[in-house]
């Protein structure tokens, strides 16, 4: 009987020792799964292997700039980054919303409409994006010729005026500029034409003036200046101030003398090209991306690269800046002007 009891106790002790060994083994595996430093494992998980930058058409400015930025980011961060052609601002914002890209070019005003769910984004706000920063101005040019007799925005009343292609960003630019002058589209004979159609219409006399939102010099307007005495209608300083106060994605701008044969510089406003990023990217990753771009601008061959700087990147943004980008600007002591 004692022998049987002894054997039973022995079996139970053996089973208990095996159980404890198994538990101890589990603890050892858990401890080796986490890298030393604890949090570094989560940081590794947050850093993607691949990112894409949405640009615009291959014939535009966004695409070559995006290619340069992609190379810079890849080299500086180790994240393989590529530039993708797209339908530009509005399409880019919707693609970021769907989670199919990480970084995109956009006009500042289009990004603001997207965030607020206004105009072409009514009922479909894009709420998962923030700004890296602004890049360079896309100038609002109110184009006419000397023979039209139009010298001020108020002179547009009753005239045939193109406000850009349907659904374009130029359309709300025109509406808002007229607004600060106490006018609406009802005060003009509105035409919805592309830039090329607008300058052709001015040339053949079917329209009197056109709003053009683009980097200067703009090809379509340069073409017009080859055959006509081009006039760019100025915007008075008080109207510029009122516009920027109500719509903070605008910045003051100037078209230099000599552009299109102009004898004097012309005062106007601009929206800006900007980089937008999805909020899914961590603060550390966006900090690295922001630092990489602004500290390697010498690698950007495109002419617009000369207009890009970290010091101006926080001006006229119009939407929230991503914490990672803000961290970089704070380190550099950069604040809005």
């Amino acid at each position: 009987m004692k022998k049987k009891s002894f054997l039973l106790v022995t079996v139970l002790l053996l089973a208990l020792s095996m159980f404890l060994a198994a538990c101890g083994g589990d603890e050892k595996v858990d401890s080796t799964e986490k890298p030393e430093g604890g949090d570094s494992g989560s940081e590794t998980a947050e850093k993607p292997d691949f990112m894409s930058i949405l640009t615009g058409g291959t014939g535009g400015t966004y695409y070559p700039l995006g290619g340069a930025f992609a190379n810079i980011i890849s080299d500086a961060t180790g994240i393989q980054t590529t530039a993708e052609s797209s339908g530009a601002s509005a399409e880019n914002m919707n693609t970021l919303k769907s989670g199919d890209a990480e970084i995109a070019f956009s006009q500042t005003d289009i990004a603001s409409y997207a965030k607020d769910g206004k105009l072409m984004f009514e009922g479909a706000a894009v709420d998962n994006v923030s700004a890296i920063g602004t890049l360079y101005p896309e100038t609002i040019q109110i184009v006419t010729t000397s023979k039209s007799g139009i010298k001020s925005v108020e002179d547009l009343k009753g005239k045939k005026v193109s406000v850009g292609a349907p659904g374009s960003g130029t359309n709300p630019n025109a509406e808002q500029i007229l607004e600060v002058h106490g006018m609406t589209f009802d005060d003009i004979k509105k035409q919805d034409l592309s830039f090329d159609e607008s300058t052709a219409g001015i040339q053949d006399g079917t329209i009197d003036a056109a709003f053009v939102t683009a980097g200067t010099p703009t090809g379509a307007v340069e073409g017009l200046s080859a055959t006509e005495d081009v006039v760019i209608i100025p915007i008075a300083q008080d109207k510029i101030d009122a516009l920027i106060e109500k719509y903070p994605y605008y910045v003051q701008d100037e078209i230099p003398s000599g552009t299109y044969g102009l004898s004097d510089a012309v005062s106007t406003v601009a929206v800006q090209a900007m980089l937008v990023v999805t909020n899914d990217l961590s603060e550390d990753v966006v900090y690295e991306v922001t630092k990489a771009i602004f500290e390697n601008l010498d690698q950007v061959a495109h002419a617009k690269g000369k207009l890009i700087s970290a010091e101006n990147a926080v001006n006229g943004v119009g939407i929230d800046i991503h914490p990672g980008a803000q961290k970089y600007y704070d380190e550099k002591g950069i604040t809005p002007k």
Side-chain angles (χ1 to χ4, degrees), residues 95-115:
T95 304
L96 289 183
K97 180 180 181 180
S98 68
D100 292 331
E102 292 76 29
I103 306 171
F105 283 77
S106 176
Q107 286 184 194
T108 48
D109 53 340
I110 300 299
S112 184
Y113 303 148
K115 287 282 285 186

Side-chain angles (χ1 to χ4, degrees), residues 16-234:
L16 180 60
S17 64
M18 292 175 65
F19 174 78
L20 292 174
C23 290
D26 286 344
E27 289 177 0
K28 186 175 182 181
V29 169
D30 286 346
S31 67
T32 58
E33 283 178 348
K34 295 180 181 179
E36 290 183 7
D39 288 343
S40 63
S42 62
E43 289 176 4
T44 302
E46 289 176 352
K47 189 170 183 178
D49 295 324
F50 173 85
M51 293 191 300
S52 60
I53 302 178
L54 302 173
T55 61
T58 56
T61 301
Y62 289 174
Y63 185 74
L65 277 180
F69 289 165
N71 290 336
I72 289 170
I73 293 168
S74 296
D75 291 343
T77 70
I79 303 171
Q80 184 60 42
T81 306
T82 58
E84 297 182 15
S85 62
S86 71
S89 299
E91 180 182 309
N92 290 352
M93 296 301 293
N94 283 320
T95 304
L96 289 183
K97 180 180 181 180
S98 68
D100 292 331
E102 292 76 29
I103 306 171
F105 283 77
S106 176
Q107 286 184 194
T108 48
D109 53 340
I110 300 299
S112 184
Y113 303 148
K115 287 282 285 186
D116 294 340
K118 293 180 178 179
L119 299 178
M120 66 281 284
F121 297 96
E122 187 171 355
V126 180
D127 57 5
N128 65 327
V129 300
S130 303
I132 287 180
T134 57
L135 301 172
Y136 60 87
E138 297 194 334
T139 307
I140 288 86
Q141 306 161 76
I142 310 174
V143 183
T144 188
T145 61
S146 57
K147 65 185 179 185
S148 73
I150 299 171
K151 297 181 180 179
S152 69
V153 175
E154 289 84 356
D155 289 343
L156 295 174
K157 286 184 178 180
K159 303 294 186 181
K160 293 180 180 178
V161 182
S162 171
V163 297
S168 70
T170 302
N171 191 285
N173 297 152
E175 187 172 29
Q176 290 156 3
I177 288 170
L178 291 176
E179 177 192 338
V180 298
H181 288 82
M183 300 165 64
T184 71
F185 281 158
D186 292 337
D187 293 306
I188 63 173
K189 297 175 182 177
K190 183 172 74 76
Q191 310 291 308
D192 300 298
L193 305 173
S194 69
F195 297 161
D196 287 336
E197 291 169 335
S198 295
T199 52
I202 292 172
Q203 186 171 18
D204 63 26
T206 56
I207 66 169
D208 301 298
F211 284 81
V212 173
T213 301
T216 57
T218 305
V221 184
E222 280 191 305
L224 178 64
S225 70
T227 59
E228 301 287 341
D229 184 12
V230 164
V231 171
I232 305 295
I233 301 169

